[in-house]
Amino acid sequence: MKNTGKLSRRQILSAAGFVGLAALAGCGGGDGGGDGKDLSKKRDGAMKNYRAGQRFKAAEPLTFEVLHNDNPVYPMKKDWLFWKELAERTGVTLKPVSVPLSDYEKKRSLLIGAGDAPFLIPKTYHPQEVAFVSSGAILAVSDHVHLMPNFQDKVKRWNLGPELDSIRQSDGKFYLLPGLHEKVKSGYSLAFRTDVLDRLGLSLPTSWDEVYEVFKALKEEYPDRYPFTDRWSTNTPCPVGALMSYLGQAHGVRAGWTYDNISFDTEAKQFVFTGATDGYRRIVEYLHKLVAEKLMDPESFTQTDDDAVKKLLVEKSFAISANPQELVQNYRYNLRRQVKGAEIEMIPVPLGPAGPVVLGGSRLENGVMISSKALDSDNFVALMQFVDWLWYSDEGQEFARWGVENVTYTESGGRYRLADGITLMGSDPQAPKDLQKDYGFYNGVFTYAGSWKLVSSSFGPDEKKFQDAMADRTQLPVDPAHPLQSVEQEQATLWDTPLKDHVTQNTLKFVLGKRPLSEWDGYVSELKAKNMDRLVDLHNTAYERFEKENG
């Protein structure tokens, strides 16, 4: 058997990131960073033999600053049990730099640009980190994952290499430590008034064709009402962002909240412009049909969430987009108070032309950037070990989610139960204490992703049913890596926003009938005039270059 002994750069990267450096991590984290820097003098406070599954405990008391996204639902408190218990377990005191949720992205950019950002910069969604790469302000964290045995272990066991490849930059490195999911966790779908459907002899739909038929039947029974009114259209550039996201999924297309101008055509093996594809056009045509036949409230595209929910509660509509929390805490709770016998249920995302699928790449969550200044710290190795424990170890993830056993929760046979007198997202409206507000756990800064056992541990019956159904679906392939070089990125940014704005504006016009669908070709020509083809060519050039250099 012939063996050339030559490895591609991609094979070397894969081995270094996920397999070969595991041995170094098992030997106390190693002294040689992936970037060749000597870390032997940066181990103050670090553990000598830190391994996956082992609790991190600093060799000396340490303090690290963390940018904290302050959620108004559970405003930050300095006396949270989270801070105290974390320090006792790990020897690390986190000093939060608190920023209001509404101002988080802007403040984060200002702090990084001024060189004043804390070492730890969580709650960052890819590709937000790309803007800070060329300046050198954030760390190429892929150079240092050998210090993170829990991160490496999950990437290897859950086969997340392709997802990580998708966030690498033109130098082959990634600059964000994303949250890692064992399985895809879906968030949104349609909810229907099941008592109304039962009365009319209608079944819950399983496909978008069936959704249309159910809406038609409701319209026949209630001709003066819209069967469907929707929300999640304000405070976002995408009209009905949630609806278009899960409707797009049924067509294998990123739309709504998940929209990206560029997507990969697996058959043509090249990148294309999403808003000009046949799949995107079919989404637009479907929504246009709902509006034209008065099956969907046209105000869905502009109204506030409160207005949409009010229409549901006063029975002006019988279906609405939902997530499991809104279903239980808002729709069902308030409907039962106002409408005798009212019941509502959220269905698995209806099937479409793409079949039983979920979009690829959705096993990565928002994650943590590390300031490049951290590499100059004598505590750098300890910092990376701590990040690995809190955000990626089973114990750290359980702690951030549920708190302290026998204080905030109990666990038996894999089942978690909140301690008496504690509520979480309305699970017990009468409870005097709240896990998030009063204790600081289940905080979105620290709590996301993980094993399916842990992620599903907080599911109520409705969400468990929904997520189990969605977890059985096939994940579409992850788009291949196609990182742009800095000059290309600057050019792409100039083209990207005007193109996206044009897609959004004309999607709304087509759906509402303010522009006839017969003008679709004209719309595509307008996109070309706004440099659509040049943007696509830029990304395909980057894709071909990365394949040549790393394939």
Side-chain angles (χ1 to χ4, degrees):
M1 182 176 180
K2 186 177 180 180
N3 185 351
T4 64
K6 186 177 180 180
L7 294 175
S8 71
R9 187 163 175 242
R10 175 171 287 174
Q11 288 172 308
I12 294 169
L13 283 168
S14 178
F18 314 133
V19 181
L21 287 174
L24 287 174
C27 296
D31 289 334
D35 58 355
K37 293 183 182 296
D38 180 12
L39 301 180
S40 60
K41 296 181 180 179
K42 300 176 182 179
R43 301 185 57 87
D44 290 3
M47 292 179 65
K48 292 182 179 179
N49 296 292
Y50 174 60
R51 293 181 173 85
Q54 179 183 17
R55 177 182 296 180
F56 171 76
K57 182 70 174 181
E60 61 186 55
L62 300 173
T63 299
F64 298 127
E65 284 192 339
V66 59
L67 197 63
H68 188 272
N69 188 337
D70 195 16
N71 193 316
V73 176
Y74 43 94
M76 193 196 77
K77 298 178 181 178
K78 293 182 179 180
D79 63 349
W80 273 345
L81 178 60
F82 173 84
W83 308 120
K84 179 182 178 182
E85 182 70 19
L86 182 66
E88 290 181 0
R89 292 193 186 195
T90 66
V92 173
T93 297
L94 281 183
K95 185 178 178 182
V97 177
S98 185
V99 177
L101 183 148
S102 60
D103 200 35
Y104 189 73
E105 291 183 23
K106 181 179 180 181
K107 183 68 172 180
R108 179 182 61 198
S109 296
L110 291 173
L111 288 171
I112 293 174
D116 295 329
F119 283 179
L120 301 176
I121 311 168
K123 209 63 179 177
T124 300
Y125 292 83
H126 175 75
Q128 292 174 343
E129 80 280 10
V130 174
F132 311 113
V133 170
S134 60
S135 68
I138 59 171
L139 200 64
V141 287
S142 56
D143 285 341
H144 305 287
V145 292
H146 66 290
L147 301 171
M148 304 179 66
N150 289 291
F151 178 90
Q152 291 183 163
D153 175 63
K154 285 179 167 57
V155 168
K156 183 178 179 182
R157 284 194 292 113
W158 298 345
N159 192 30
L160 286 162
E163 277 89 343
L164 285 182
D165 280 349
S166 73
I167 67 171
R168 292 184 187 275
Q169 302 306 304
S170 57
D171 56 5
K173 302 177 182 183
F174 55 87
Y175 290 75
L176 176 72
L177 289 168
L180 306 175
H181 279 281
E182 180 182 9
K183 295 183 180 182
V184 172
K185 180 177 180 288
S186 300
Y188 296 84
S189 187
L190 281 171
F192 285 85
R193 279 281 303 276
T194 50
D195 59 309
V196 176
L197 298 190
D198 290 345
R199 189 166 65 247
L200 300 179
L202 300 172
S203 300
L204 284 169
T206 60
S207 71
W208 285 103
D209 288 341
E210 292 178 5
V211 168
Y212 171 74
E213 294 300 331
V214 169
F215 285 164
K216 282 189 67 175
L218 287 167
K219 185 67 176 178
E220 289 176 8
E221 182 70 16
Y222 302 98
D224 60 333
R225 310 180 206 185
Y226 290 106
F228 176 40
T229 195
D230 212 20
R231 57 180 297 187
W232 287 311
S233 291
T234 55
N235 299 321
T236 172
C238 307
V240 290
L243 170 64
M244 288 199 70
S245 293
Y246 61 80
L247 174 59
Q249 178 174 282
H251 291 264
V253 176
R254 295 191 182 278
W257 284 341
T258 60
Y259 178 82
D260 193 317
N261 276 334
I262 300 298
S263 53
F264 194 71
D265 185 326
T266 54
E267 292 185 4
K269 295 191 181 304
Q270 63 181 11
F271 283 92
V272 295
F273 190 84
T274 309
T277 60
D278 290 341
Y280 192 85
R281 178 175 181 168
R282 286 192 290 270
I283 295 167
V284 171
E285 289 173 339
Y286 185 88
L287 292 175
H288 170 82
K289 180 169 67 171
L290 294 186
V291 173
E293 297 184 22
K294 301 187 184 303
L295 305 180
M296 181 179 183
D297 182 357
E299 293 183 358
S300 297
F301 299 86
T302 54
Q303 68 189 353
T304 66
D305 291 355
D306 285 346
D307 285 342
V309 174
K310 285 176 183 176
K311 290 177 181 179
L312 177 76
L313 298 180
V314 298
E315 299 191 280
K316 286 186 177 180
S317 63
F318 305 100
I320 191 171
S321 285
N323 62 39
Q325 290 74 40
E326 281 291 284
L327 175 74
V328 175
Q329 299 173 33
N330 192 352
Y331 307 161
R332 183 175 293 157
Y333 176 76
N334 288 306
L335 270 171
R336 286 176 175 174
R337 294 177 63 192
Q338 294 183 218
V339 183
K340 185 178 180 180
E343 293 293 341
I344 188 167
E345 185 172 337
M346 178 176 166
I347 62 173
V349 174
L351 300 178
V357 300
V358 291
L359 293 173
S362 51
R363 289 196 297 158
L364 297 188
E365 259 281 12
N366 69 82
V368 183
M369 293 188 294
I370 307 290
S371 169
S372 57
K373 295 185 302 181
L375 191 57
D376 298 325
S377 169
D378 293 340
N379 305 126
F380 176 70
V381 173
L383 173 73
M384 298 304 290
Q385 291 176 346
F386 169 74
V387 169
D388 181 64
W389 180 83
L390 178 57
W391 274 280
Y392 298 100
S393 76
D394 291 343
E395 183 191 17
Q397 291 176 336
E398 180 185 64
F399 164 72
R401 184 177 295 266
W402 285 105
V404 182
E405 189 167 13
N406 297 321
V407 176
T408 59
Y409 77 96
T410 57
E411 186 269 335
S412 178
R415 295 178 63 86
Y416 292 78
R417 182 180 181 277
L418 287 170
D420 292 342
I422 299 178
T423 186
L424 172 62
M425 294 184 288
S427 61
D428 180 3
Q430 307 304 318
K433 294 288 186 180
D434 186 289
L435 188 68
Q436 295 173 306
K437 298 175 183 177
D438 298 303
Y439 296 96
F441 298 107
Y442 219 94
N443 180 343
V445 175
F446 306 104
T447 305
Y448 43 80
S451 69
W452 188 246
K453 173 186 173 183
L454 183 63
V455 170
S456 64
S457 66
S458 55
F459 291 171
D462 289 282
E463 182 161 14
K464 186 177 189 311
K465 182 180 178 181
F466 172 74
Q467 296 293 356
D468 284 348
M470 296 301 296
D472 287 337
R473 300 191 178 184
T474 302
Q475 183 179 208
L476 292 172
V478 178
D479 285 355
H482 55 291
L484 301 177
Q485 295 175 346
S486 57
V487 174
E488 294 171 331
Q489 184 64 56
E490 291 174 6
Q491 182 61 73
T493 301
L494 293 176
W495 292 334
D496 200 65
T497 300
L499 282 165
K500 187 175 291 185
D501 289 345
H502 197 68
V503 171
T504 299
Q505 292 163 9
N506 282 275
T507 295
L508 196 56
K509 290 178 182 178
F510 283 130
V511 169
L512 295 177
K514 295 181 178 180
R515 184 174 188 178
L517 287 168
S518 59
E519 292 186 10
W520 182 267
D521 290 344
Y523 153 73
V524 173
S525 296
E526 291 159 8
L527 291 172
K528 290 180 178 180
K530 293 180 180 293
N531 299 298
M532 175 184 77
D533 290 339
R534 296 175 72 184
L535 179 68
V536 170
D537 289 343
L538 200 65
H539 283 274
N540 277 316
T541 297
Y543 165 59
E544 291 164 6
R545 178 177 62 236
F546 192 83
E547 286 290 301
K548 181 179 179 180
E549 295 177 355
N550 302 285

